[in-house]
Amino acid sequence: MEQQEEAKMEIVLKPIGIIRTPISGPGKGPRQGSESAVSGKLIVDEQYRDALLGLEKGWKIVILYWMHLAERDMLQVHPRGDRTRPLRGVFSTRSPQRPNPVSLDTVEITGIEGTVIDVIGLDAVDGTFLLDIKCTV
Amino acid sequence: MEQQEEAKMEIVLKPIGIIRTPISGPGKGPRQGSESAVSGKLIVDEQYRDALLGLEKGWKIVILYWMHLAERDMLQVHPRGDRTRPLRGVFSTRSPQRPNPVSLDTVEITGIEGTVIDVIGLDAVDGTFLLDIKCTV
């Protein structure tokens, strides 16, 4: 019964904006999960302006974003693409390859102007769709 | 151009399993973002068995899940539902109410048997759809 409901259920997400970073493609940025010193901008859609109320410079936030370049059918990977390392299940890694390629970064707000948020600490590729912003505490 | 692409783009997620916890409904568990000592089970679908390779008891993992009871059109909330506190944008809170109600918990694996993972540290309501598992490092 549950299995059936689950199989039928489709969860549809809507991008809330776009991420601008100097990272031009996969493997061009810092390793996933490591400290990143990459600065960029969260360009939030105007329709979500009211949802930004209260965010302030200096805050740490968690952002969720969609890794549109990921392969969703790959269940195992060589960690960090190193073929000398044994295969691991994607759920035991931070590989972008996974059934639902939603990633997260913790970033710090360095400025806000309207619906554009300057942040530092990004891993996302330029043009990535932003899905959510949460405070960390 | 970008705005148009964004508006057209729909991102569809598939549940990878279900979360079993003693938390029967919203507000019945620990506060979001606080330490939780709630134990439960991640019942991963059989088709994703290979993606679990490498996960071990004692590991901390991040789980993403779908807050199916959330209201997606609410852009501002009173923090923790306290009406004496001024409204805040949902992106400056951890409220379940948000355009894409995907939440995350960091939990510890206390046991694994097949595709069932015992964990401690849950905030999710019983029956919540599991979307992803990532290692924390």
Side-chain angles (χ1 to χ4, degrees):
Chain A
M1 174 63 178
E2 266 155 22
Q3 289 278 334
Q4 282 179 356
E5 280 173 18
E6 201 171 316
K8 271 186 293 182
M9 177 152 183
E10 276 196 348
I11 296 168
V12 179
L13 304 184
K14 285 276 187 192
I16 61 160
I18 206 160
I19 306 176
R20 286 287 171 215
T21 76
I23 305 169
S24 56
K28 304 265 173 70
R31 291 230 169 96
Q32 289 240 342
S34 63
E35 268 318 273
S36 156
V38 174
S39 293
K41 289 178 190 294
L42 313 179
I43 319 281
V44 177
D45 286 358
E46 185 56 38
Q47 63 180 298
Y48 299 112
R49 177 183 283 266
D50 289 348
L52 300 175
L53 180 71
L55 287 176
E56 286 177 31
K57 185 176 163 175
W59 278 33
K60 291 214 169 179
I61 52 175
V62 175
I63 57 170
L64 300 187
Y65 54 92
W66 182 249
M67 294 181 288
H68 58 287
L69 302 171
E71 291 183 47
R72 302 183 65 175
D73 296 330
M74 204 178 283
L75 296 185
Q76 298 191 335
V77 293
H78 295 283
R80 299 185 175 175
D82 178 353
R83 292 187 167 274
T84 66
R85 296 174 70 178
L87 281 170
R88 289 250 300 270
V90 293
F91 295 151
S92 79
T93 75
R94 291 181 70 90
S95 167
Q97 283 32 276
R98 52 187 60 248
N100 294 307
V102 173
S103 193
L104 54 115
D105 283 348
T106 301
V107 299
E108 183 178 329
I109 299 177
T110 57
I112 306 182
E113 191 162 334
T115 59
V116 177
I117 306 173
D118 293 305
V119 295
I120 186 165
L122 287 166
D123 289 326
V125 170
D126 187 48
T128 298
F129 289 117
L130 183 64
L131 299 173
D132 197 13
I133 299 171
K134 298 179 195 291
C135 83
T136 53
V137 287
Chain B
M1 176 63 177
E2 266 155 21
Q3 289 279 334
Q4 282 179 356
E5 279 173 18
E6 202 170 316
K8 270 187 294 182
M9 178 154 183
E10 275 195 347
I11 296 168
V12 179
L13 303 183
K14 285 276 187 191
I16 61 161
I18 206 161
I19 305 176
R20 287 285 171 217
T21 76
I23 305 170
S24 56
K28 304 265 173 70
R31 289 226 170 98
Q32 289 241 340
S34 63
E35 266 321 92
S36 157
V38 174
S39 294
K41 288 176 189 297
L42 312 179
I43 318 282
V44 177
D45 285 358
E46 185 57 37
Q47 63 180 299
Y48 299 113
R49 176 184 284 264
D50 289 348
L52 299 175
L53 180 70
L55 286 175
E56 286 177 31
K57 185 175 164 175
W59 277 34
K60 290 214 169 179
I61 53 174
V62 175
I63 58 169
L64 300 186
Y65 54 92
W66 183 247
M67 294 181 290
H68 58 285
L69 302 172
E71 291 183 47
R72 303 183 66 175
D73 296 331
M74 204 178 283
L75 296 185
Q76 298 190 336
V77 292
H78 294 284
R80 298 185 176 176
D82 178 352
R83 293 188 166 272
T84 67
R85 296 174 70 177
L87 281 169
R88 288 250 302 272
V90 293
F91 295 151
S92 79
T93 75
R94 292 181 70 90
S95 166
Q97 295 8 293
R98 50 187 61 248
N100 294 308
V102 173
S103 193
L104 53 116
D105 283 348
T106 301
V107 299
E108 183 178 329
I109 299 177
T110 56
I112 305 182
E113 193 161 333
T115 59
V116 177
I117 306 173
D118 293 305
V119 296
I120 186 165
L122 286 167
D123 288 326
V125 169
D126 187 47
T128 299
F129 289 117
L130 184 64
L131 299 173
D132 198 12
I133 300 171
K134 298 179 196 293
C135 83
T136 54
V137 286

